[in-house]
Amino acid sequence: MWRRSALAVLYAGVALAAEPKYKLGRAATAEDIAAVDISVLADGRGLPAGSGTAAQGKDLYFRRCSKCHGAEGQGREEGGPLVGGKGTLTTAKPLKTVGSFWPQATTLFDYIRRAMPFDRPGTFSNEQVYQATAQVLFLNGLIGENDVMDAKTLPKVAMPNRDGFVKDPRPKVK
Amino acid sequence: MRKDRRKFLGAAALGGALAGCASKEGAVEVTEEPSLLGKPVGAYGERSPFENVKRHLNDTKTPQAASSRTPLHQLHGIITPSALHFERHHSGVPHLDPAQHRLLIHGLVERPLVLTVAELKRLPSVSRVHFVECSGNTGSEWSPKGAPDVQRGFGLASCSEWTGVPLSLLLAEAGLKKEAKWMLAEGADPCKMSRSVPVEKAMNDAMIAYAQNGEAIRPEQGYPLRLILPGWEGNINVKWLRRLHVADEPFYTKDETSKYTELQSDGKARIFTFEMDAKSVITSPSGEQKIGGPGFHEISGLAWSGRGRIEKVEVSIDGGKTWKPAQLQEPRYSKAFTRFRFPWEFTGVETIIVSRAVDETGYVQPSRQELIAARGTNSQYHNNATKPWRVAADGSVTNVEA
């Protein structure tokens, strides 16, 4: 199995890294990968088909998110705020939220699909994830209520703090 | 009592060697029934019922997205017992059957690969002692108040012997493509916690661990597989590892953007801050303890650095005016706890004790003031400042409010 796939790669003329030495495990098939691959990159690679708007996500958010994050995303004891904090990052009480702090909108889709709702993670369809994502962006005033979020539009959402991150300067600067 | 005494005398007459303790009068008194046998051999050991050292849990509405802290002040040497290793979960501890668990390596590799846990364990392995420290550890000390004791202030750090397969070996099996720069490491926990790891670190000293302190990794530490990135912040040591997705860019997951980034006073946040800088803390005596009056006391504590070995630890018993080198317990491992000890005569006059670590790169652990001068107070993570404890005249030890 292993041999065969290695040979196939060789015949295809693709650059081959050194031959595997131990040959344990098996070649992953496209199905193996599709079954668990939920990665999303900042440029939108990996975002699935489907779409959603805040208008479609309003009810979903109310039923499945607001008990922990508040009806307006203001946060509650069970879950932090998702909205607000603009202009606070240089103050003594910075409020870091999707709107004030997150550099990429793709992260929001990725995170909701992986982890939310907290009490039933991973149970939403991709459509529902797009809808909930759109609603959180809308609550932050970053998109309109009827703007369609999909694999093309989501990476283009202008996040206010997109340029707010710098490389690690340590150990030079403490 | 009288019966015990008689038994003891009888046994002593027969030359039986018995455990005893000195009574008030100085005579040795027996504390056990010598004629009764102890517990039989057992399949899996337990600590003495007299011992009740525990992890500290925070009050929270979401205990599955919470942390528990190691009682550093009640431990000895450098190894944290697995049952007392700190925890930080984002969606609770999954129940994973190692026979079903798989590790997938895919993306920018020549040969995408699926491995079972049993297959992984057949590969050449290494054992290494490394600390794991949450970058949120000591976050309490950004505020002038600070935590009252070492467990709450420093207990998100633990040290274990990890055994596993070098990640470089697995990546050589899969064959990295030349555009490969980062990889997503993803757990099999309910929230599929994930972080982006640079390829250089993966090829350097990273390992896929399956054992901790000689036995299978504990469920709350990532059973059956955990990514260990020596010296790097705890969160990126992804537990319950199920997938490595090799790519040309980082993935900007929630836990490397919203969380585990450090906001500076200019409003910019540092991102991908992986190394845990050199740090030390006196664990004994430490906050909320009380030492038994003037006379000899051994000061003891822990030092560690994510950039290599601990080269030197200095202790001050006068609030930082003068410093003297502490003894370092050998062997000293790279990116591991190092135990330091310092003999001390407590005069009974109130004072402040503090330790300071230097690692093999020459980096000196900063004071809280130096750290704040460089970063402000909104940084939240990566606080490695020195920690002064006040010892009052009566021997009670408290946190020094800055």
Side-chain angles (χ1 to χ4, degrees):
Chain A
M1 180 62 164
W2 211 182
R3 277 272 154 69
R4 238 187 299 139
S5 77
L7 282 176
V9 173
L10 186 69
Y11 289 144
V14 178
L16 243 194
E19 269 286 297
K21 192 166 165 190
Y22 302 100
K23 303 182 179 71
L24 287 176
R26 63 176 175 80
T29 64
E31 297 79 65
D32 290 329
I33 296 169
V36 287
D37 182 4
I38 49 169
S39 318
V40 173
L41 282 139
D43 59 11
R45 276 178 287 165
L47 281 172
S51 68
T53 65
Q56 291 164 340
K58 193 174 176 176
D59 179 55
L60 180 71
Y61 179 91
F62 182 72
R63 285 185 292 110
R64 306 300 301 275
C65 318
S66 58
K67 72 169 170 180
C68 297
H69 293 291
E72 301 298 321
Q74 74 278 16
R76 291 169 56 89
E77 214 183 316
E78 294 83 351
L82 305 178
V83 169
K86 234 175 258 175
T88 65
L89 297 186
T90 52
T91 69
K93 281 220 164 75
L95 181 61
K96 295 185 272 182
T97 72
V98 173
S100 68
F101 194 61
W102 289 35
Q104 271 94 20
T106 45
T107 305
L108 187 58
F109 179 95
D110 177 63
Y111 182 63
I112 295 173
R113 178 159 70 163
R114 287 173 188 281
M116 290 293 133
F118 181 75
D119 41 3
R120 295 298 303 281
T123 56
F124 278 8
S125 67
N126 288 333
E127 295 280 326
Q128 287 174 308
V129 178
Y130 276 118
Q131 291 168 3
T133 303
Q135 173 66 359
V136 173
L137 293 172
F138 171 69
L139 287 172
N140 276 289
L142 298 174
I143 62 169
E145 199 164 7
N146 294 306
D147 289 354
V148 176
M149 289 296 108
D150 61 21
K152 286 224 166 61
T153 56
L154 185 64
K156 297 202 187 100
V157 173
M159 299 296 276
N161 198 40
R162 179 159 224 138
D163 301 321
F165 291 82
V166 294
K167 278 207 309 223
D168 185 0
R170 298 173 308 154
K172 271 203 184 125
V173 179
K174 287 197 166 102
Chain B
M1 186 63 176
R2 188 165 289 159
K3 191 166 144 242
D4 285 351
R5 193 97 188 160
R6 239 183 296 129
K7 273 204 184 133
F8 168 53
L9 292 171
L14 289 169
L18 293 171
C21 67
S23 76
K24 260 192 229 130
E25 300 84 36
V28 170
E29 219 176 277
V30 156
T31 55
E32 264 172 49
E33 284 268 358
S35 65
L36 293 181
L37 294 177
K39 273 172 120 182
V41 293
Y44 197 84
E46 272 175 34
R47 63 180 168 180
S48 160
F50 297 105
E51 294 298 322
N52 60 0
V53 172
K54 288 197 274 294
R55 291 189 286 223
H56 179 270
L57 311 181
N58 292 347
D59 234 0
T60 171
K61 290 233 164 157
T62 50
Q64 296 87 356
S67 53
S68 68
R69 290 157 200 263
T70 297
L72 295 175
H73 59 304
Q74 289 164 316
L75 301 179
H76 312 277
I78 60 168
I79 298 294
T80 310
S82 302
L84 294 172
H85 192 293
F86 84 88
E87 302 167 277
R88 174 66 170 106
H89 315 312
H90 293 266
S91 59
V93 180
H95 178 78
L96 297 177
D97 175 354
Q100 303 299 320
H101 190 78
R102 298 285 181 277
L103 175 64
L104 169 66
I105 303 176
H106 71 115
L108 294 175
V109 292
E110 303 295 351
R111 299 171 286 272
L113 193 55
V114 183
L115 284 148
T116 64
V117 176
E119 284 164 340
L120 191 95
K121 286 184 176 170
R122 283 172 55 185
L123 289 165
S125 296
V126 293
S127 296
R128 294 206 228 97
V129 176
H130 289 305
F131 73 84
V132 177
E133 180 182 19
C134 176
S135 62
N137 195 29
T138 321
S140 54
E141 310 303 303
W142 289 111
S143 115
K145 196 156 182 294
D149 60 34
V150 80
Q151 183 167 15
R152 278 176 273 184
F154 292 77
L156 295 176
S158 306
C159 186
S160 302
E161 184 202 63
W162 303 98
T163 299
V165 178
L167 180 50
S168 58
L169 184 156
L170 287 173
L171 294 175
E173 289 295 291
L176 283 180
K177 291 191 176 172
K178 68 174 189 309
E179 315 83 64
K181 293 278 183 311
W182 292 82
M183 66 193 68
L184 186 79
E186 177 182 273
D189 45 341
C191 72
K192 310 292 179 282
M193 221 293 299
S194 58
R195 287 291 303 261
S196 304
V197 179
V199 159
E200 307 91 78
K201 180 67 173 180
M203 292 301 286
N204 180 14
D205 57 356
M207 78 159 92
I208 312 280
Y210 50 78
Q212 176 189 14
N213 298 332
E215 62 181 350
I217 293 180
R218 292 279 162 126
E220 67 269 30
Q221 295 308 326
Y223 183 84
L225 300 178
R226 177 175 199 170
L227 178 62
I228 293 290
L229 299 178
W232 283 23
E233 62 184 13
N235 179 262
I236 201 168
N237 291 257
V238 174
K239 299 185 279 192
W240 315 295
L241 187 72
R242 73 163 193 179
R243 189 164 73 95
L244 293 168
H245 184 173
V246 183
D248 52 349
E249 298 270 351
F251 291 77
Y252 296 99
T253 67
K254 170 263 202 179
D255 284 310
E256 60 204 20
T257 52
S258 171
K259 303 290 187 278
Y260 306 106
T261 52
E262 289 94 55
L263 189 58
Q264 310 297 296
S265 40
D266 63 359
K268 302 278 184 207
R270 293 177 180 177
I271 191 168
F272 302 128
T273 45
F274 301 124
E275 285 91 355
M276 300 308 296
D277 280 319
K279 184 163 173 178
S280 72
V281 65
I282 294 173
T283 54
S284 175
S286 59
E288 305 219 312
Q289 293 182 333
K290 184 158 184 180
I291 60 172
F296 182 81
H297 295 276
E298 183 173 75
I299 290 175
S300 168
L302 292 167
W304 61 98
S305 167
R307 299 185 196 269
R309 283 201 314 171
I310 287 296
E311 210 48 53
K312 183 163 76 172
V313 176
E314 294 168 305
V315 169
S316 172
I317 53 167
D318 55 14
K321 282 191 217 97
T322 60
W323 297 85
K324 289 207 187 91
Q327 294 158 5
L328 302 185
Q329 175 70 57
E330 302 287 344
R332 282 174 287 139
Y333 299 106
S334 178
K335 306 173 186 181
F337 279 0
T338 294
R339 171 70 59 181
F340 67 85
R341 299 187 176 95
F342 186 88
W344 177 43
E345 287 288 335
F346 176 48
T347 59
V349 175
E350 174 171 316
T351 190
I352 288 174
I353 58 173
V354 53
S355 67
R356 173 169 85 185
V358 181
D359 71 15
E360 66 175 294
T361 71
Y363 176 98
V364 182
Q365 183 183 7
S367 70
R368 179 171 177 276
Q369 290 70 23
E370 288 172 310
L371 210 55
I372 288 173
R375 287 200 226 157
T377 51
N378 290 340
S379 191
Q380 186 175 353
Y381 305 99
H382 285 276
N383 186 325
N384 67 318
T386 53
K387 179 67 211 165
W389 300 112
R390 173 175 284 109
V391 185
D394 71 351
S396 54
V397 187
T398 50
N399 172 43
V400 172
E401 294 196 12

